[in-house]
């Protein structure tokens, strides 16, 4: 039988191709070998004379759409490497979304920022969306800060508030879609990684203190994030269902990146910038829209930049082994 070929025999069983992997689910299998991710990291190591301690994913609320003033833009000794110049990397397809790895120093701590991320709605499988996290890890980053723009489901949340993610609901995982699907390579991590302590409790605690210090005051919360595939915003019935499930924010990213980071033994801090209040009432005539996502991100740029900077300082002081 040819490689990857699937055959159904008379009694309903499926036999697999000679490579030992399940060809039937081939689209969901990770096509990046360990060696190909190492090759990407080695390519980057030749261009960057330092090893990042922290990887930061800058999403729609954190400067993925603009340059001046964004966190990635403010790094010292910056080295910008567009995604299209990086072997094996996906390309950003979101109009206006910057696509570059930005290396540099934040308060003298070496970091790497993903300026713009990859989404399932772009047509990329989850393992492809999350591959840069493995590259960050191979470059030396043992810590991930994942940021996202999200709709607020919790009625106490207001536009411009920040929610530290204490847990997530992997809804796409419920439907059998997971970035770790397919044969597992133990060099990245274990077959069955636990997720009950995905979000580092010490970092959440410190981030709450830092939030007060940088002026987020009462605008800081802690809660549960959930990710849908997008690209459409949710229906009223869907949002009410998510609320009942216990989600406080909803977005289109982060969960698969965090799963991949935990799999390769990184510590994770994630937060949502609330860019809109989710509409859970049929009488409401407003529509969520992407422009407000970007506008709120810009409005919060300074305070969130300081917030992340202080968290990075804390990680370097306390967790850098
Ligand atoms: N839903 C999904 N993703 C989002 C939202 C939302 O309301 N706001 C920002 N990203």
């Amino acid at each position: 039988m040819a490689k990857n070929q699937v055959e159904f025999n008379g009694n309903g069983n499926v036999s697999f191709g000679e490579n030992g992997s399940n060809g039937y689910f081939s689209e969901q299998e990770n096509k990046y070998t360990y060696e190909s991710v190492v090759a990407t990291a080695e390519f980057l190591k030749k261009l960057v004379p330092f090893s990042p301690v922290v990887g930061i994913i800058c999403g729609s609320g954190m400067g993925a759409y603009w340059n001046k003033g964004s966190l990635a833009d403010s790094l010292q000794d910056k080295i910008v490497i567009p995604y299209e110049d990086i072997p094996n990397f996906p390309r950003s397809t979101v109009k206006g979304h910057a696509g570059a790895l930005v290396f540099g120093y934040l308060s003298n701590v070496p970091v790497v920022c993903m300026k713009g991320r990859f989404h399932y709605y772009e047509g990329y499988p989850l393992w492809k969306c999350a591959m840069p996290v493995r590259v960050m890890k191979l470059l030396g980053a043992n810590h991930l800060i994942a940021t996202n723009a999200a709709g607020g489901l919790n009625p106490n949340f207001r536009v411009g508030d920040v929610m530290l993610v204490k847990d997530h609901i992997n809804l796409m995982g419920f439907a059998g879609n997971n970035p770790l699907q397919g044969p597992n390579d133990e060099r990245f991590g274990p077959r069955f990684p636990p997720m009950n302590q995905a979000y580092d409790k010490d970092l959440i605690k410190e981030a709450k203190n830092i939030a007060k210090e940088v002026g987020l005051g009462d605008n800081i919360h802690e809660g549960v994030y959930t990710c849908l595939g997008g690209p459409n915003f949710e229906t009223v019935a869907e949002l009410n269902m998510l609320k009942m499930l216990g989600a406080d924010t909803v977005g289109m990213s982060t969960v698969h990146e965090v799963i991949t980071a935990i799999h390769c033994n990184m510590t994770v801090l994630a937060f949502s910038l609330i860019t809109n209040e989710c509409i859970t009432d049929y009488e409401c005539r407003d529509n969520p829209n992407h422009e407000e996502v970007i506008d709120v991100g810009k409005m919060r740029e300074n305070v969130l930049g300081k917030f992340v900077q202080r968290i990075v300082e804390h990680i370097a002081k306390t967790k850098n082994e």
Side-chain angles (χ1 to χ4, degrees):
M1 191 163 83
K3 237 181 171 189
N4 270 334
Q5 190 180 327
V6 182
E7 273 178 6
F8 293 89
N9 58 27
N11 58 17
N13 290 331
V14 179
S15 33
F16 300 131
E18 66 192 6
N19 64 354
S21 80
N22 179 344
Y24 183 64
F25 291 115
S26 63
E27 275 318 299
Q28 293 185 41
E29 274 182 24
N30 196 331
K31 302 287 190 300
Y32 290 119
T33 60
Y34 181 81
E35 287 74 18
S36 70
V37 186
V38 168
T40 301
E42 291 303 318
F43 169 87
L44 293 165
K45 280 182 189 170
K46 289 203 183 85
L47 301 178
V48 182
F50 55 83
S51 178
V53 169
V54 184
I56 306 167
I57 303 179
C58 301
S60 305
M62 281 288 296
Y65 286 90
W66 62 91
N67 285 318
K68 210 168 168 311
S70 72
L71 180 78
D73 192 60
S74 72
L75 299 184
Q76 283 123 35
D77 300 332
K78 218 174 18 170
I79 299 171
V80 181
I81 308 174
Y83 292 153
E84 61 256 34
D85 294 346
I86 306 175
N88 298 326
F89 238 63
R91 309 274 174 268
S92 194
T93 69
V94 184
K95 193 162 165 266
H97 224 275
L101 283 185
V102 184
F103 293 81
Y105 290 86
L106 203 51
S107 292
N108 295 321
V109 182
V111 300
V112 54
C113 292
M114 272 187 84
K115 194 160 189 272
R117 57 151 59 89
F118 306 105
H119 306 85
Y120 193 66
Y121 61 74
E122 292 178 76
Y124 293 126
L126 292 178
W127 50 265
K128 202 161 194 174
C129 295
M131 170 266 202
V133 172
R134 289 182 165 172
V135 173
M136 287 172 163
K137 169 74 182 189
L138 289 175
L139 289 171
N142 286 324
H143 312 282
L144 179 72
I145 301 176
T147 74
N148 60 61
L153 289 158
N154 186 315
N156 298 323
F157 294 0
R158 295 288 163 263
V159 169
D161 287 0
V162 172
M163 184 195 82
L164 295 161
V165 180
K166 73 168 182 199
D167 203 353
H168 67 231
I169 299 173
N170 179 15
L171 268 185
M172 288 199 272
F174 282 22
N177 194 358
N178 189 299
L180 304 181
Q181 226 154 25
N184 184 58
D185 192 319
E186 297 274 333
R187 288 172 290 183
F188 284 122
R191 171 74 289 186
F192 301 110
M195 285 297 144
N196 56 312
Q197 300 189 66
Y199 298 89
D200 189 275
K201 287 192 180 61
D202 295 339
L203 283 181
I204 291 177
K205 192 166 160 216
E206 190 56 28
K208 277 190 199 156
N209 295 333
I210 292 172
K212 304 272 184 244
E213 286 163 24
V214 300
L216 277 165
D218 294 334
N219 303 110
I220 188 83
H221 311 279
E222 195 180 325
V224 176
Y225 175 82
T226 193
C227 165
L228 271 65
N232 60 283
F233 291 105
E234 301 74 27
T235 66
V236 171
E238 286 163 352
L239 291 167
N240 280 313
M241 185 195 89
L242 295 176
K243 255 170 120 170
M244 272 188 329
L245 290 180
D248 297 294
T249 57
V250 55
M252 304 176 194
S253 67
T254 306
V255 167
H256 38 282
E257 297 155 350
V258 170
I259 290 171
T260 303
I262 294 300
H263 181 245
C264 65
N265 199 26
M266 297 171 87
T267 58
V268 172
L269 179 85
F271 66 83
S272 297
L273 172 66
I274 314 300
T275 55
N276 54 290
E277 289 172 28
C278 290
I279 298 165
T280 51
D281 169 6
Y282 284 103
E283 297 308 312
C284 179
R285 295 274 162 234
D286 293 342
N287 280 326
N289 64 77
H290 193 54
E291 287 65 42
E292 69 190 353
V293 173
I294 299 169
D295 290 348
V296 177
K298 280 212 166 111
M299 183 182 93
R300 283 305 211 183
E301 168 175 279
N302 283 341
V303 69
L304 289 183
K306 264 191 251 159
F307 182 53
V308 172
Q309 179 167 356
R310 294 286 312 280
I311 294 166
V312 165
E313 287 168 15
H314 172 77
I315 290 172
K317 236 190 288 161
T318 59
K319 291 201 180 268
N320 203 21
E321 46 290 18

